[in-house]
Amino acid sequence: MNDITIAHRAATTVSDKVALTMMRLLRMGMDFFTGYSHDHAVSRGVKNPSDARRAGWYSPMDERKWLIRCVFLESVAGVPGMVAASLRHLHSIRRLERDNGWIETLLEEAYNERMHLLTFLTMAQPGRFMRAMLLGAQGVWYNALFLAYLVSPRTCHRFVGYLEEEAVITYTRFVAEIDAGNLPLFATTQAPEIAVRYWNMPEGKRGIRDLILYIRADEAKHREVNHTLGNLVQREDPNPFVSEYKDVERVHPGKGIENLKPKGWEREDVI
């Protein structure tokens, strides 16, 4: 989990550029309402967070601000997988065809993001204003994704891939802030019981920093999955993350992070 890296897949097609633009607009809105900003050099580990603060790159984030930021982020991240899975489920039963294994992975992603949210909610409860923001955002977000997935599933998966890239950056900076001593409460606080059970966290590795590493690894996996799905023929190709491969010696996608490809697998590598 310590080997998770920041990565960005270049937008080479019109669809990719649309997805990247929409993600950046969403990111701007989230940053504004959660008071978040960051210096990419901090997330890449080439600058100390304290130095970036003194240089005025971003405003300080205390422990509660970080938790509220994460609640907002995970409430957004839990929607795309469920939207895609429900639409593919309806397409499957309407066309009387198999789905080629996509629904399972998409539902797993939605469930995983919801567990992230429930974990953060045991640590901080948002106020009335934030709850109202979440309610309004979810109403717009779900319906917008529903319509977008009907029009272009590939663009939606690329969009989520880009969104997960940003999530990896956010959680990498979170870890950097803890390591720099800027979040002293998190240096001694233990992960909630729901997290210990869900990730089966071992004794001695149950701190908040350890928790964020688990969550960042999940987001890195979602990044890989969605960038890969965005490379496939949506109605024809099988899901490479649940497929059985004849050549077991060849490196191929799986459910874990052993063969993680941050920018996704190209179609010719898995089909």
Side-chain angles (χ1 to χ4, degrees), residues 55-271:
W57 274 97
Y58 54 72
S59 57
M61 295 270 289
D62 60 19
E63 289 87 349
R64 178 165 176 78
K65 285 184 178 180
W66 267 109
L67 291 175
I68 295 302
R69 162 77 180 183
C70 292
V71 167
F72 198 96
L73 175 64
E74 298 300 344
S75 70
V76 169
V79 175
M82 185 59 67
V83 171
S86 62
L87 280 172
R88 293 190 70 91
H89 170 75
L90 293 174
H91 289 171
S92 177
I93 60 178
R94 185 173 67 251
R95 297 174 184 145
L96 307 179
E97 297 174 350
R98 295 179 65 92
D99 179 67
N100 293 322
W102 289 49
I103 294 174
E104 175 187 350
T105 295
L106 294 168
L107 287 176
E108 286 177 350
E109 177 182 315
Y111 179 81
N112 178 252
E113 298 288 11
R114 189 176 69 90
M115 290 303 297
H116 293 176
L117 175 62
L118 294 178
T119 297
F120 286 123
L121 286 175
T122 64
M123 301 165 66
Q125 287 289 327
R128 291 182 179 179
F129 175 75
M130 182 57 69
R131 287 178 180 273
M133 288 299 303
L134 292 175
L135 179 63
Q138 187 177 92
V140 174
W141 178 229
Y142 183 93
N143 288 290
L145 271 177
F146 183 90
L147 295 174
Y149 204 87
L150 287 174
V151 175
S152 179
R154 181 184 180 280
T155 303
C156 289
H157 285 298
R158 184 71 72 222
F159 168 84
V160 178
Y162 287 135
L163 186 64
E164 299 295 358
E165 289 181 2
E166 295 297 319
V168 171
I169 292 174
T170 294
Y171 288 121
T172 300
R173 179 195 154 187
F174 199 160
V175 172
E177 291 281 358
I178 295 175
D179 291 343
N182 294 327
L183 303 173
L185 291 179
F186 287 158
T188 57
T189 304
Q190 293 294 294
E193 185 62 27
I194 186 175
V196 174
R197 293 198 307 268
Y198 180 67
W199 282 284
N200 195 24
M201 300 174 71
E203 290 283 351
K205 293 289 184 180
R206 295 180 177 178
I208 297 301
R209 185 183 189 279
D210 301 305
L211 170 63
I212 300 305
L213 290 178
Y214 277 102
I215 293 175
R216 185 181 66 171
D218 289 344
E219 304 296 5
K221 187 63 183 181
H222 301 328
R223 176 184 63 186
E224 176 198 40
V225 167
N226 280 280
H227 275 320
T228 301
L229 296 182
N231 293 335
L232 304 182
V233 178
Q234 302 295 300
R235 295 188 180 183
E236 299 177 9
D237 291 340
N239 176 5
F241 294 95
V242 297
S243 298
E244 295 183 3
Y245 293 84
K246 295 181 180 179
D247 185 0
V248 295
E249 298 299 325
R250 182 180 177 184
V251 177
H252 56 76
K255 289 192 174 183
I257 60 174
E258 294 79 13
N259 301 323
L260 196 69
K261 282 200 174 186
K263 299 179 183 180
W265 296 75
E266 299 301 328
R267 185 174 186 270
E268 56 268 22
D269 295 332
V270 294
I271 302 298

